[in-house]
Amino acid sequence: MTKKQHNFAAETGRILELLTHSIYSNKEIFLRELISNSSDAIDKARLKALTDTTFLGDDTNFEIKVEINEKNKTLSITDNGIGMTEDEMHKHLGTIAKSGTKEFMEKLEKAKEGGDHNLIGQFGVGFYSAFMVADKVEVVTRSGLDKKAHKWISDGKSGYEVEETKKEGRGTVVTLYMGEGNHELLTDWKVRELIKKYSNYVGVPIMMLENDTRSEEEKKKEPKELGFEQVNETKPIWKKSKTSVKAEEYKDFYSQVSMDFNAPLGHIHSSIEWNVSYNTLLYIPQETNAFSDMRDPSKEYGPKLYVQNVLILEHAKELLPVWLRFVSGVVETTDLPLNISREMLQSNATLETIKKSLVKKVVGELKKLRVKDAVAYGKFFENYGAILKEGVYYEADLKEDIAATLEFDTLLGDKKISLDGYIEAQKGEGKTIYYISGKSRSEVLASPYLAQFKDTKTDVILFTDAIDEWMIGVLDEYKKVKLKSVTASDIKLKEETAEEKKKAETTEKQFKDMLELVKNTIGTEKIEKVELNPNLWDALGALKTPDGAMNPQMEKMMKAMGQPVPETKRVLELNPNNKLVKAMKKEFKSDVKSKKLKDLTQYAYMQAILLEWGELENIADFVGMTNKFAGEYLK
Ligand code: ADP
């Protein structure tokens, strides 16, 4: 039999160097990584057996064995999983086969600075963590599809050797020759502790030799053949009763399924037996996950799907809508056939039923969590709220339920509030949810549309997420309370006093003819009427949308969707206190046909369009005119 020497792929060498020399203080996770590989290999063997009924042969009792050999100073992890062919061994253990290698290197470097200890498992360099504790690693493996077995040996430095070898049965044995400083990892209690700490919920029995606690003398007197015993939990956590699972166990399992090592916001653990039966344990995160950013819509998402104890899918996106892509966990059902194909899963009635029920549960849980711990929920919402809002847009039947879980900034408050909170706080009878939408908080707060709201201390919800416009497009009322944009022309929050009324009438009289001319100059196809509004802060004017017409946000959204947008006429309000409006009036008096008046009219209109975040027909005209005014200013 020949031994062949191979070099590691370039990045692998560098990662090994980094792993073994610098970053990692918590080296004991190597065992978790190797056990997790064994458990994956067993999942793959189970899955393979669904389509290839002879694949398993007699070897159907799946388990992982962890053995200590004190004499040789080795620790070995044995599984009867899918095993590897020679090619697979080169591919999987000779290179870091992940496309994200470069990205990984960068994160690894960063983590080195920040002291992040949970990187390794998250990036699938799992196997190489063996070199943090071992001077030499030996892998003997035989694929279930191959008669030949192979041995891979490496010191984790420049490369590895591969040779053919003999092995009974399918599976893999990884043997670690422990380095000088790591011999404490060769004690029975220590290894058991590590298994319990990091691998308790692996869905496969992890076996160790029984521990013979008798004295050496007794052992000699009465030698006993020791059997193997299971070290980890037998029952998967999601199959246990809620009352028997400790908070810590929930958290541990969360990090295992999500690769997020922060505490989750909450979880849903339930067992349903109705028209479909399933067990589920789902988690809602709180923090973002630096290595698997679930805000990214292109990421794989969805809970693990088990059918009769076989892991069918790592990410079953058939079980959750994309707007709940941040939810992770497990769903297990016995109501699906084991040999179901990926294509069949895509339009499967059982999964649809489970999905509907999961969505309801998650939305219900979010509502509860909001009330339970506002601060934690606030963190979650900051990270994932924008995704949740997509749900309002996509789920016609559930939109109010989803909307109830949302939080918003408002004009008057310094804390985010819910729509219910807004309605509750609003005084008076006929209630309305007023909102303003724009790109950022600071932008909307400067809008003169808010003048009358500030004056009357009427709160306004600030919609500043990009998704908000889509959301309001479908949410015109919430619990029978209308949502109304501050740009609506019929919002009059304050009754005028008799004196104010009189004053307004006089001013209106003075301006009346000019306003008519302004309307005709801009065009009656665009402007329904021109009015005065002295309460626009220092703005020249503002456009308002008449009742029943499409507001500018909706218009923009329809355009973005490529739909025809009907021309809507607006109401133009001019501010009689503004200098330029005063100048317009003066011009009007001296010469109705004045070019200056025409220019100022167009300028006022363009400014008003900008204030409602609309699009100018001709930006150059606007810039030209602004320069002209600036010229006056500089004189
Ligand atoms: P990851 O497990 O994240 O893919 P690893 O570096 O831990 O990354 O392992 C690389 C690959 O080596 C695995 O994806 C798998 O294909 C293979 N492998 C590792 N351990 C085993 C094992 N015990 N049985 C079969 N294949 C394995």
Side-chain angles (χ1 to χ4, degrees):
M1 258 179 258
T2 49
K3 249 187 216 178
K4 272 198 229 140
Q5 174 68 36
H6 305 269
N7 290 332
F8 283 122
E11 304 90 352
T12 312
R14 264 188 75 198
I15 285 183
L16 278 165
E17 174 88 19
L18 263 166
L19 283 181
T20 47
H21 289 105
S22 47
I23 60 154
Y24 221 61
S25 52
N26 188 15
K27 60 188 176 190
E28 57 186 31
I29 57 93
F30 78 94
L31 190 58
R32 173 187 87 191
E33 297 304 315
L34 297 177
I35 287 176
S36 152
N37 280 348
S38 288
S39 154
D40 289 349
I42 287 171
D43 283 336
K44 284 180 200 159
R46 280 193 179 124
L47 196 62
K48 175 85 187 152
L50 299 180
T51 47
D52 181 348
T53 45
T54 58
F55 182 77
L56 299 179
D58 304 333
D59 190 3
T60 54
N61 194 15
F62 290 106
E63 60 182 21
I64 299 168
K65 273 187 191 151
V66 180
E67 288 164 280
I68 297 165
N69 185 325
E70 276 176 49
K71 209 171 87 215
N72 300 342
K73 305 282 178 239
T74 63
L75 183 72
S76 64
I77 296 98
T78 304
D79 66 65
N80 52 353
I82 194 148
M84 283 177 272
T85 62
E86 185 178 4
D87 275 357
E88 283 167 344
M89 210 151 67
H90 285 294
K91 206 165 103 204
H92 299 318
L93 306 183
T95 50
I96 289 183
K98 301 277 153 76
S99 56
T101 306
K102 193 164 163 274
E103 190 191 356
F104 171 74
M105 293 300 292
E106 284 159 11
K107 293 206 162 140
L108 206 56
E109 294 283 359
K110 256 205 212 124
K112 212 164 95 180
E113 291 151 23
D116 190 324
H117 296 322
N118 295 311
L119 259 170
I120 290 179
Q122 300 176 27
F123 257 85
V125 273
F127 172 75
Y128 300 102
S129 61
F131 290 105
M132 298 189 305
V133 294
D135 291 340
K136 186 171 86 171
V137 177
E138 197 184 279
V139 181
V140 172
T141 182
R142 192 177 128 191
S143 161
L145 300 170
D146 203 351
K147 291 233 154 46
K148 289 182 193 162
H150 291 90
K151 188 194 275 181
W152 179 103
I153 306 176
S154 173
D155 60 3
K157 291 193 177 102
S158 57
Y160 58 94
E161 282 171 3
V162 170
E163 62 178 328
E164 211 181 301
T165 187
K166 287 213 156 44
K167 180 185 181 311
E168 291 250 332
R170 178 193 70 234
T172 304
V173 186
V174 178
T175 305
L176 312 181
Y177 291 82
M178 290 304 207
E180 227 9 93
N182 297 310
H183 289 172
E184 89 276 4
L185 294 167
L186 289 168
T187 43
D188 181 79
W189 70 266
K190 182 74 195 171
V191 173
R192 280 170 194 261
E193 183 192 270
L194 294 186
I195 292 173
K196 283 211 168 289
K197 183 163 169 197
Y198 295 114
S199 310
N200 210 19
Y201 306 108
V202 168
V204 186
I206 302 172
M207 312 296 287
M208 285 186 76
L209 261 191
E210 278 174 90
N211 200 1
D212 194 350
T213 49
R214 296 172 302 163
S215 69
E216 290 304 316
E217 228 168 84
E218 274 175 290
K219 281 187 201 167
K220 234 181 226 161
K221 234 187 341 196
E222 202 185 323
K224 186 158 92 171
E225 182 88 35
L226 295 174
F228 278 88
E229 63 184 4
Q230 183 164 347
V231 182
N232 61 331
E233 285 278 346
T234 0
K235 210 173 183 181
I237 182 169
W238 62 89
K239 281 193 183 171
K240 290 190 182 176
S241 75
K242 277 194 230 184
T243 44
S244 67
V245 185
K246 292 193 208 90
E248 219 176 282
E249 294 176 278
Y250 277 126
K251 181 173 180 278
D252 286 350
F253 187 67
Y254 172 63
S255 25
Q256 208 176 305
V257 287
S258 68
M259 289 306 170
D260 173 13
F261 292 82
N262 302 296
L265 176 71
H267 66 258
I268 297 157
H269 184 177
S270 70
S271 176
I272 302 294
E273 266 174 58
W274 195 43
N275 49 4
V276 291
S277 338
Y278 69 88
N279 293 309
T280 188
L281 176 52
L282 296 182
Y283 291 93
I284 298 160
Q286 182 171 329
E287 308 288 343
T288 52
N289 185 343
F291 303 102
S292 170
D293 188 353
M294 292 327 290
R295 293 171 301 182
D296 175 357
S298 68
K299 272 264 146 60
E300 284 207 307
Y301 73 90
K304 288 178 193 270
L305 171 64
Y306 284 88
V307 176
Q308 300 166 38
N309 294 326
V310 180
L311 177 65
I312 300 286
L313 283 180
E314 190 68 36
H315 294 288
K317 65 173 190 307
E318 292 78 3
L319 284 172
L320 283 176
V322 66
W323 55 273
L324 287 178
R325 60 183 174 274
F326 47 81
V327 174
S328 58
V330 174
V331 172
E332 198 216 4
T333 177
T334 45
D335 286 352
L336 283 173
L338 267 173
N339 57 357
I340 191 159
S341 68
R342 182 90 222 203
E343 293 72 47
M344 282 159 75
L345 286 172
Q346 272 162 21
S347 51
N348 180 280
T350 306
L351 288 186
E352 273 301 315
T353 312
I354 299 178
K355 179 179 177 180
K356 268 209 181 116
S357 140
L358 294 181
V359 168
K360 282 221 174 94
K361 278 183 192 304
V362 176
V363 172
E365 189 62 23
L366 285 170
K367 276 193 213 165
K368 277 192 225 151
L369 290 166
R370 228 196 122 252
V371 180
K372 202 172 123 199
D373 184 347
V375 177
Y377 193 87
K379 261 193 204 151
F380 154 78
F381 197 80
E382 203 174 293
N383 292 324
Y384 299 100
I387 305 178
L388 201 52
K389 289 176 183 174
E390 293 171 18
V392 178
Y393 182 74
Y394 286 122
E395 310 284 333
D397 297 346
L398 275 178
K399 62 183 181 189
E400 287 206 2
D401 287 303
I402 303 167
T405 68
L406 307 179
E407 300 190 325
F408 304 97
D409 283 328
T410 66
L411 171 66
L412 303 178
D414 52 4
K415 270 202 311 237
K416 279 189 164 37
I417 61 171
S418 65
L419 293 178
D420 290 296
Y422 178 94
I423 295 171
E424 215 167 279
Q426 199 175 50
K427 292 183 199 83
E429 279 170 19
K431 295 196 176 191
T432 306
I433 300 171
Y434 294 111
Y435 69 85
I436 183 164
S437 74
K439 283 201 281 298
S440 69
R441 200 188 144 85
S442 58
E443 185 189 68
V444 294
L445 286 180
S447 168
Y449 286 105
L450 293 178
Q452 62 166 329
F453 293 87
K454 264 201 160 162
D455 286 354
T456 55
K457 295 208 168 48
T458 306
D459 212 357
V460 176
I461 290 190
L462 314 179
F463 285 139
T464 52
D465 267 339
I467 182 75
D468 286 345
E469 301 208 335
W470 296 82
M471 190 181 66
I472 355 167
V474 297
L475 193 72
D476 41 7
E477 60 173 36
Y478 174 77
K479 296 191 177 163
K480 303 234 155 42
V481 180
K482 285 250 173 286
L483 269 77
K484 193 163 198 167
S485 167
V486 296
T487 58
S489 66
D490 60 345
I491 307 174
K492 299 272 180 298
L493 296 171
K494 204 170 58 172
E495 281 294 320
E496 288 172 321
T497 60
E499 199 181 320
E500 280 169 335
K501 222 178 208 162
K502 212 166 143 206
K503 196 178 160 207
E505 270 163 20
T506 339
T507 330
E508 244 154 57
K509 241 184 233 154
Q510 291 168 354
F511 274 90
K512 191 170 170 276
D513 295 338
M514 186 196 103
L515 297 184
E516 194 59 23
L517 180 65
V518 167
K519 183 174 91 179
N520 291 327
T521 309
I522 298 168
T524 45
E525 73 289 356
K526 291 178 185 149
I527 296 293
E528 191 177 282
K529 71 180 166 190
V530 183
E531 290 177 341
L532 291 178
N533 180 356
N535 195 3
L536 286 173
W537 290 332
D538 55 3
L540 240 169
L543 288 169
K544 297 267 173 93
T545 310
D547 202 20
M550 190 179 282
N551 69 32
Q553 295 84 27
M554 276 297 276
E555 265 183 15
K556 240 195 254 172
M557 197 174 95
M558 303 265 297
K559 271 190 200 150
M561 290 194 295
Q563 292 187 13
V565 181
E567 191 81 54
T568 15
K569 292 183 185 180
R570 298 260 193 278
V571 174
L572 174 64
E573 293 179 349
L574 289 179
N575 180 358
N577 303 325
N578 179 284
K579 262 193 187 158
L580 289 178
V581 176
K582 284 182 181 155
M584 281 165 79
K585 195 175 88 184
K586 209 167 133 202
E587 220 35 54
F588 179 77
K589 273 208 176 129
S590 64
D591 175 11
V592 187
K593 293 211 168 97
S594 127
K595 164 102 174 47
K596 217 176 195 176
L597 177 59
K598 239 187 211 149
D599 279 355
L600 283 170
T601 300
Q602 290 299 347
Y603 188 68
Y605 178 54
M606 286 191 276
Q607 270 206 5
I609 290 177
L610 288 178
L611 277 179
E612 65 161 31
W613 300 296
E615 268 171 43
L616 292 180
E617 266 166 39
N618 191 336
I619 292 179
D621 275 355
F622 181 77
V623 173
M625 247 183 268
T626 309
N627 283 341
K628 220 190 244 171
F629 293 137
E632 284 296 313
Y633 178 76
L634 293 171
K635 253 183 209 164

